[in-house]
Structures are given as C-alpha cells and as structure tokens.
Amino acid sequence: MKQYKIGLVGIGAVGTEIIKILRQRKFTASEIRVLATCERDEEIAGETFHVQGISPEAFDGLDIVLFAGTEGSKGASVQYGWEAVKRGCVVVDNGDDFRMDERVPLVIPEINGDALENHQGFIANPNCSTIITLMGIAPLHKAVPIRHMTAVTFQSVSGSGRGAINELEQQVRDYAAGKELQAKVYPYPIAFNVLPQIGGPKPEMPGFTSEEAKMTFESRKILDTPELKVACTCVRVPVFYAHSVAVHASFEEPLSPERARAILDAADGVKVVDDLASAQYPMPLFTEGKDDVEVGRIRIDPSIENGLALWCCGDNIRKGAAQNAVQIAEELIKRELV
Amino acid sequence: MKQYKIGLVGIGAVGTEIIKILRQRKFTASEIRVLATCERDEEIAGETFHVQGISPEAFDGLDIVLFAGTEGSKGASVQYGWEAVKRGCVVVDNGDDFRMDERVPLVIPEINGDALENHQGFIANPNCSTIITLMGIAPLHKAVPIRHMTAVTFQSVSGSGRGAINELEQQVRDYAAGKELQAKVYPYPIAFNVLPQIGGPKPEMPGFTSEEAKMTFESRKILDTPELKVACTCVRVPVFYAHSVAVHASFEEPLSPERARAILDAADGVKVVDDLASAQYPMPLFTEGKDDVEVGRIRIDPSIENGLALWCCGDNIRKGAAQNAVQIAEELIKRELV
C-alpha cells in the first residue's frame, strides 16, 4: 500500500487531535511533518515531533497537508494554502477562509464525498456545528428532500480552543474556592452561564453572527441545495467537549420518526440513541471522544408541514474538525485523487 | 388601604422567593400564613414564621392563597386547592395540575390580566419557560398576530428545586477536587453537560416531553390563539438561575427588528438588551434576580415568511414562578376581584 507524506499546520486543540486520529485510524503515512510558527521539539499526543518553522519550501514533497486553523481568526491557509497547492500538495483546510470559495469543495465524506472529484488541490473542512447538524439531516434529505430547518446550537468551549477550555476550568475552580469568576477568552463568564453569540456580526445576514451564517451557507453548499431555507441561533454553553443541536426541519413529504430512525441507523457515521421513556438520548458528556454523531429525540414536529424534530450531538474537535479532515484525506486516497 | 390575609402553601425554592417578593413589593398583607406538611417554626428569607400544618380549616379566613407546588409532582393544590376556594379564598396555583382546566384562568398579568375577570376562585400560574417566552412574544403578537413559533429552551437547574441546585454545586466541587460526578436528581450529571429532557414523555404529543407540551398548550390558552402552531425542544443546562429561550417566530405581516424593539421597549416587564456589535444581549448569569424578562438578538428570520428571531431570558424562580404569582395577587386586588 502506498505510504503518503502528510503535513500538519498548527498544533492547537484540533492539530493535536489530528495526530491522535491519524494514529488511531492507522493512517498509512510515511511521514508526518508538523509545521508551526517556529522550529522546536514538541510532544504531541504522546509522541515527540520535530516541529518545523512554516515557509513555502516546508511544503515541498508533501502529498496532503492538513491546515488546523483556529476558527474565527484567519488561518495559516490564507498565507500558505495555495502556495502548498502550487508545490504539489492537496490541502485540507479546517479554517473558514475558503469554505465558500467556488474553487474549493466543502466536504463531509459520508455526505458529499463526490464533491472531491475534480478538486483543484484545495478542500475545505466545514464548520463544526454544520457538520454535526448535517450528519443527522443529510441522510434524511437523501430520502426526502429537505425544505427548511431551524437549528439552535449548544456549543462547547473547546470550539474556542485551549484557552477557553482552561477558562471554564479555572472559573469552576474559582467558584468552588469562593472566588470571583474572571473572563478573558469570552466577554463574560461561561461557567453557570450561556452566551448567545459565537463569532462576530455578519453583515450579509443582518443581526446574525458569523457562526449562524455558516450554518446557512455551508449547509446549502454541502447538500447542494442553494435555495435551502435555514435559520440558526448559536449559543455557547458551559460544556467542555461536544456540540449539541436542536433541529426542527420540514421536508417535501412526510417522514415518520420510525422511517427517520431506520434511515439514520443505516447511515455511516451516525448512531441513533432515542428512547425518551428510558431517558436515552444523545448528550455531550457521553458523545465526547466518539467518532459517530449521535441523533435522538426524533419526533414529528406537528407545527409545520412534514415536520420532524431531532437532537444531534457530536464531538466538535473530532467529527466536527480533526476526524472529518482526516476522513477527507482518506477519501482522497481511496478515490485516487492525490 | 385594605390589608389582605395571604396564605402560602409550600416553602421550597418558589415559596421562599414568594416571601421575599411580597416583602420587596411591600404587599399590603395583614397576615402571611405559611402552611406546610407539619407545624414548626422556620426561618424563611430572614424572617421567622410559625409554619402551620396544612388542613382544610387552616385556610379559613384567608383572602388569597398562593400554592407554591413543585413542578412535575402533584402539587398540594390537588388536595387542598378547591377546598380553599370553598372556604372563601382565591387560589393562585404555581403547580401544573389545573393550568389547562377550563374553569381556571392561566395568567401572566402583563399579557392577559383580563382573564382574571369572572374567575371562579382558582387561578393558575403558567410554566416558567412559557412565561419567559411569552413575555417576549405577546407584545409583538398584540401588534401583529403570531402564526408559528419554534422555541428551544436553555433551562436552569433551579427549575428542578433546591436538590438540583445542590447537585450542580456538588458536581462542580467534586470536579474541582478531581472526584467522579454523582447524579441523583437528574439521571446523568448536569455539570459540563446538557440534558435534552425536561419532564416525562407526554402521550398527547408523541415524542415530546411534558415541559415541551406545556409551551404549546399554555401559549395557546394565554394568547387566546387555539390554533397557534408551536414546536419546542426543552433542554436543561448547567446554569443555577434564569432560563433562556431561542425563539424563531413568524407573524401575519412583516415585523421589522426596529419596530419589534420599540414595541418591546414599551412593554411592561420587558427590557430590551440588544446590541450584538457591543456584545449586549440577555444572559442568565445577569438576568438572575431581576424582575424584567430581557429580550435581545432581535433579527429578521429570513428562512420563513414574516419571520423574526429573538432570545429571551428571565429569572425562572422570580418572573417564571414566584413573582408572577404575586403579580396575579396584586392584579386581583387592583381589579377588586378578591
């Protein structure tokens, strides 16, 4: 089996998870070259890597480069992404800078792996909450086209990086010690609170945040439904890992909960956890660290025509970011597109 | 000014808050008679009360009796409510046993105080998340009739009583001490988690919980819109006090965010907190202890006809329960209905 030379740019929460996942999935890499701002030796996920300083030449010889850009700020892919393509790499970018670029396929392998065909060397990894929502919605949409969805998210702090994880941890310790809560990463304490803002205002969608706009625009691109009607409210909650999403959707035809469960049961990467009478439903505390997106609370939404409500929960650092990026790399190899 | 003899049944989280609010609002009571399962002296909100054992005769001579029943289990009003009415009291019941009873007005004074006229001695206080949602929606509905709403709630643990407050507190202390989290009140840990179930399955609305059904049925009764289409997902979050609700609604005619803000600014009991660019929006940590329901994130919902999205936040123990009950008592007096 051919061995690939893999590059990784960035070793924050997502970059570290990419290393873990490459090892867990026994990815056939002959080299993992880690690039960051400055050269150093660093332990990542239990292995010592010689981190190289990033430069155009640093990409030479790599087959696939995973950019683990932080959400919200400009990723390294803005400066180096197309440069890496020029040097013969296929780029998989976790950042949000190129997701809506027409040259760039935006891919969740279980849903639209076909979009990788005829790629131009640059593939984008969708936003975490979009991935987790669509893992529940796309299999249903393939059976009965979706018309509309309202998605309200419950997003964990790990989506804001390690600083936010530490901040929630510190606030909880300070609370237990009777001290006042300090906020730095977020404008307000996140412990014992919820923040109805993720990202800044998005001028293209007045009143919405950038995170909420992603759900609309990325869903349309991934499902190839340019007219899809989507409304979203994105909320940060005091949870460390895994995002949850309450989805109320309507479809072209009625879709019974039984049929929806059967469709989702058969879908790759989805696990149905759905028995309200026995208190069985997805929860972030138990979805953390898992590969599958879990879906439950599946019920007719009687308030809209052909309505269905569901609750999706997935690890935002894994399926919502690192795992999906590695799956894109695997899919590129499987389809012989590298 | 006439002084009223007030009875209070139950001294849990809501009962205690009722005492506080009666004092804060300088309620004109010549007597506050506290009734509970057994007779004893007890300090409530800084005052010592001689708690009387509950019995039919214990209601004699009272003008208004506030039943502070716990949500979820049958309230004392089931056994004693109509008995108190028979003995000449007007009952205001915080429990959920009689809310949908045709003899019983279900009242939020700022919204449907008129429903108190011709009461039959028994008035119900609506569910906390319904009150908080409708405080934001009803003023808009008076201007432009509402057609449909999707409400997704972020509910604090105080809605489950003192045991749940202690449980979150203990889980956070155990986390800080490196111990495993123990769950008793809820089936799973609530710290660092969210639970997509509040109440048990509701057979009348397959797949929905009792809490979600309340939002539908109580909203229709309070707004006097028997056909109103409502969908709801109710979720418990690790917050001590105050519920938040993401609402996506559609109206008979377009309603601009500017007009909605002006309407809500002028509405009693509502405070608009809405400037996304300056990170101004309602949050439970800052709504706790306040009388007003705060509304923000007001924006066109472009996914539905005449759509508007908003975010409501209110103290579930105060406006969501105790304060609304006291306001009903005040309204009864103002309208000379006692």
mmCIF file of all heavy atoms in Angstrom, chain B residues 32-53:
data_model
loop_
_atom_site.group_PDB
_atom_site.id
_atom_site.type_symbol
_atom_site.label_atom_id
_atom_site.label_comp_id
_atom_site.label_asym_id
_atom_site.label_seq_id
_atom_site.Cartn_x
_atom_site.Cartn_y
_atom_site.Cartn_z
ATOM 1 N N ILE B 32 -49.406 36.810 56.868
ATOM 2 C CA ILE B 32 -48.900 35.813 55.918
ATOM 3 C C ILE B 32 -48.892 34.495 56.680
ATOM 4 O O ILE B 32 -48.116 34.308 57.619
ATOM 5 C CB ILE B 32 -47.487 36.149 55.400
ATOM 6 C CG1 ILE B 32 -47.514 37.473 54.616
ATOM 7 C CG2 ILE B 32 -46.979 35.018 54.492
ATOM 8 C CD1 ILE B 32 -46.146 37.914 54.095
ATOM 9 N N ARG B 33 -49.797 33.629 56.285
ATOM 10 C CA ARG B 33 -49.923 32.346 56.973
ATOM 11 C C ARG B 33 -49.253 31.271 56.107
ATOM 12 O O ARG B 33 -49.667 31.036 54.978
ATOM 13 C CB ARG B 33 -51.402 32.009 57.170
ATOM 14 C CG ARG B 33 -51.655 30.835 58.118
ATOM 15 C CD ARG B 33 -53.148 30.515 58.189
ATOM 16 N NE ARG B 33 -53.959 31.642 58.643
ATOM 17 C CZ ARG B 33 -55.296 31.680 58.567
ATOM 18 N NH1 ARG B 33 -55.970 30.655 58.063
ATOM 19 N NH2 ARG B 33 -55.965 32.742 58.981
ATOM 20 N N VAL B 34 -48.205 30.679 56.656
ATOM 21 C CA VAL B 34 -47.453 29.681 55.892
ATOM 22 C C VAL B 34 -47.915 28.284 56.289
ATOM 23 O O VAL B 34 -47.925 27.937 57.476
ATOM 24 C CB VAL B 34 -45.937 29.831 56.125
ATOM 25 C CG1 VAL B 34 -45.169 28.794 55.309
ATOM 26 C CG2 VAL B 34 -45.474 31.240 55.766
ATOM 27 N N LEU B 35 -48.310 27.508 55.295
ATOM 28 C CA LEU B 35 -48.793 26.152 55.542
ATOM 29 C C LEU B 35 -47.842 25.151 54.893
ATOM 30 O O LEU B 35 -47.377 25.355 53.769
ATOM 31 C CB LEU B 35 -50.197 25.972 54.945
ATOM 32 C CG LEU B 35 -51.257 27.010 55.338
ATOM 33 C CD1 LEU B 35 -52.561 26.740 54.599
ATOM 34 C CD2 LEU B 35 -51.490 26.997 56.841
ATOM 35 N N ALA B 36 -47.570 24.073 55.622
ATOM 36 C CA ALA B 36 -46.735 23.008 55.055
ATOM 37 C C ALA B 36 -47.159 21.690 55.708
ATOM 38 O O ALA B 36 -48.121 21.658 56.489
ATOM 39 C CB ALA B 36 -45.261 23.305 55.285
ATOM 40 N N THR B 37 -46.460 20.613 55.398
ATOM 41 C CA THR B 37 -46.892 19.303 55.876
ATOM 42 C C THR B 37 -46.993 19.245 57.397
ATOM 43 O O THR B 37 -47.937 18.700 57.943
ATOM 44 C CB THR B 37 -45.910 18.212 55.381
ATOM 45 O OG1 THR B 37 -45.573 18.512 54.031
ATOM 46 C CG2 THR B 37 -46.533 16.828 55.441
ATOM 47 N N CYS B 38 -46.001 19.808 58.089
ATOM 48 C CA CYS B 38 -46.066 19.745 59.553
ATOM 49 C C CYS B 38 -45.747 21.085 60.199
ATOM 50 O O CYS B 38 -45.046 21.920 59.626
ATOM 51 C CB CYS B 38 -45.133 18.651 60.070
ATOM 52 S SG CYS B 38 -43.452 18.864 59.501
ATOM 53 N N GLU B 39 -46.297 21.286 61.376
ATOM 54 C CA GLU B 39 -46.155 22.533 62.125
ATOM 55 C C GLU B 39 -44.723 22.669 62.658
ATOM 56 O O GLU B 39 -44.136 21.705 63.131
ATOM 57 C CB GLU B 39 -47.138 22.500 63.308
ATOM 58 C CG GLU B 39 -47.293 23.841 63.985
ATOM 59 C CD GLU B 39 -48.356 23.798 65.101
ATOM 60 O OE1 GLU B 39 -49.134 22.818 65.148
ATOM 61 O OE2 GLU B 39 -48.375 24.734 65.912
ATOM 62 N N ARG B 40 -44.184 23.871 62.564
ATOM 63 C CA ARG B 40 -42.853 24.137 63.112
ATOM 64 C C ARG B 40 -42.551 25.627 62.966
ATOM 65 O O ARG B 40 -43.233 26.320 62.205
ATOM 66 C CB ARG B 40 -41.795 23.321 62.360
ATOM 67 C CG ARG B 40 -41.638 23.716 60.879
ATOM 68 C CD ARG B 40 -41.105 22.570 60.056
ATOM 69 N NE ARG B 40 -40.744 22.954 58.702
ATOM 70 C CZ ARG B 40 -41.460 22.650 57.625
ATOM 71 N NH1 ARG B 40 -42.608 22.003 57.719
ATOM 72 N NH2 ARG B 40 -41.029 22.995 56.417
ATOM 73 N N ASP B 41 -41.510 26.101 63.668
ATOM 74 C CA ASP B 41 -41.009 27.459 63.418
ATOM 75 C C ASP B 41 -39.895 27.344 62.381
ATOM 76 O O ASP B 41 -39.071 26.436 62.450
ATOM 77 C CB ASP B 41 -40.459 28.071 64.716
ATOM 78 C CG ASP B 41 -41.604 28.532 65.615
ATOM 79 O OD1 ASP B 41 -42.683 28.871 65.079
ATOM 80 O OD2 ASP B 41 -41.426 28.516 66.847
ATOM 81 N N GLU B 42 -39.916 28.242 61.428
ATOM 82 C CA GLU B 42 -38.889 28.145 60.383
ATOM 83 C C GLU B 42 -38.495 29.539 59.904
ATOM 84 O O GLU B 42 -39.347 30.417 59.742
ATOM 85 C CB GLU B 42 -39.425 27.308 59.206
ATOM 86 C CG GLU B 42 -38.442 27.187 58.070
ATOM 87 C CD GLU B 42 -38.273 25.756 57.557
ATOM 88 O OE1 GLU B 42 -38.770 24.806 58.206
ATOM 89 O OE2 GLU B 42 -37.641 25.610 56.504
ATOM 90 N N GLU B 43 -37.186 29.711 59.668
ATOM 91 C CA GLU B 43 -36.725 30.980 59.121
ATOM 92 C C GLU B 43 -36.829 30.915 57.599
ATOM 93 O O GLU B 43 -36.306 29.994 56.966
ATOM 94 C CB GLU B 43 -35.273 31.247 59.539
ATOM 95 C CG GLU B 43 -34.910 32.724 59.356
ATOM 96 C CD GLU B 43 -33.474 33.038 59.714
ATOM 97 O OE1 GLU B 43 -33.135 32.895 60.910
ATOM 98 O OE2 GLU B 43 -32.710 33.402 58.804
ATOM 99 N N ILE B 44 -37.557 31.883 57.052
ATOM 100 C CA ILE B 44 -37.733 31.940 55.603
ATOM 101 C C ILE B 44 -37.360 33.339 55.157
ATOM 102 O O ILE B 44 -37.950 34.321 55.615
ATOM 103 C CB ILE B 44 -39.203 31.655 55.197
ATOM 104 C CG1 ILE B 44 -39.717 30.357 55.838
ATOM 105 C CG2 ILE B 44 -39.342 31.585 53.681
ATOM 106 C CD1 ILE B 44 -41.215 30.154 55.705
ATOM 107 N N ALA B 45 -36.379 33.408 54.274
ATOM 108 C CA ALA B 45 -35.936 34.713 53.746
ATOM 109 C C ALA B 45 -35.685 35.711 54.881
ATOM 110 O O ALA B 45 -36.091 36.872 54.803
ATOM 111 C CB ALA B 45 -36.953 35.252 52.732
ATOM 112 N N GLY B 46 -35.032 35.243 55.938
ATOM 113 C CA GLY B 46 -34.615 36.149 57.009
ATOM 114 C C GLY B 46 -35.666 36.447 58.074
ATOM 115 O O GLY B 46 -35.397 37.194 59.022
ATOM 116 N N GLU B 47 -36.852 35.885 57.941
ATOM 117 C CA GLU B 47 -37.911 36.095 58.940
ATOM 118 C C GLU B 47 -38.289 34.761 59.552
ATOM 119 O O GLU B 47 -38.303 33.747 58.848
ATOM 120 C CB GLU B 47 -39.189 36.608 58.273
ATOM 121 C CG GLU B 47 -39.239 38.081 58.010
ATOM 122 C CD GLU B 47 -40.538 38.433 57.288
ATOM 123 O OE1 GLU B 47 -41.610 38.447 57.928
ATOM 124 O OE2 GLU B 47 -40.479 38.653 56.066
ATOM 125 N N THR B 48 -38.656 34.768 60.830
ATOM 126 C CA THR B 48 -39.129 33.526 61.436
ATOM 127 C C THR B 48 -40.645 33.425 61.284
ATOM 128 O O THR B 48 -41.377 34.342 61.648
ATOM 129 C CB THR B 48 -38.747 33.463 62.920
ATOM 130 O OG1 THR B 48 -37.332 33.604 63.009
ATOM 131 C CG2 THR B 48 -39.162 32.117 63.528
ATOM 132 N N PHE B 49 -41.077 32.335 60.690
ATOM 133 C CA PHE B 49 -42.508 32.090 60.529
ATOM 134 C C PHE B 49 -42.921 30.895 61.383
ATOM 135 O O PHE B 49 -42.171 29.928 61.496
ATOM 136 C CB PHE B 49 -42.836 31.781 59.057
ATOM 137 C CG PHE B 49 -42.831 32.998 58.183
ATOM 138 C CD1 PHE B 49 -41.643 33.481 57.641
ATOM 139 C CD2 PHE B 49 -44.015 33.672 57.915
ATOM 140 C CE1 PHE B 49 -41.638 34.613 56.840
ATOM 141 C CE2 PHE B 49 -44.015 34.809 57.111
ATOM 142 C CZ PHE B 49 -42.819 35.279 56.571
ATOM 143 N N HIS B 50 -44.111 30.996 61.943
ATOM 144 C CA HIS B 50 -44.688 29.819 62.585
ATOM 145 C C HIS B 50 -45.478 29.075 61.508
ATOM 146 O O HIS B 50 -46.582 29.470 61.141
ATOM 147 C CB HIS B 50 -45.582 30.195 63.760
ATOM 148 C CG HIS B 50 -46.153 28.977 64.421
ATOM 149 N ND1 HIS B 50 -45.367 28.116 65.171
ATOM 150 C CD2 HIS B 50 -47.392 28.435 64.401
ATOM 151 C CE1 HIS B 50 -46.121 27.108 65.594
ATOM 152 N NE2 HIS B 50 -47.356 27.278 65.134
ATOM 153 N N VAL B 51 -44.853 28.041 60.952
ATOM 154 C CA VAL B 51 -45.477 27.267 59.878
ATOM 155 C C VAL B 51 -46.580 26.407 60.485
ATOM 156 O O VAL B 51 -46.357 25.710 61.478
ATOM 157 C CB VAL B 51 -44.424 26.374 59.173
ATOM 158 C CG1 VAL B 51 -45.087 25.506 58.106
ATOM 159 C CG2 VAL B 51 -43.317 27.225 58.579
ATOM 160 N N GLN B 52 -47.785 26.473 59.886
ATOM 161 C CA GLN B 52 -48.891 25.649 60.373
ATOM 162 C C GLN B 52 -49.009 24.386 59.530
ATOM 163 O O GLN B 52 -48.733 24.403 58.333
ATOM 164 C CB GLN B 52 -50.211 26.431 60.299
ATOM 165 C CG GLN B 52 -50.197 27.701 61.138
ATOM 166 C CD GLN B 52 -51.568 28.381 61.151
ATOM 167 O OE1 GLN B 52 -52.593 27.756 60.888
ATOM 168 N NE2 GLN B 52 -51.567 29.655 61.482
ATOM 169 N N GLY B 53 -49.444 23.310 60.177
ATOM 170 C CA GLY B 53 -49.713 22.087 59.427
ATOM 171 C C GLY B 53 -50.914 22.305 58.514
ATOM 172 O O GLY B 53 -51.882 22.985 58.882
#
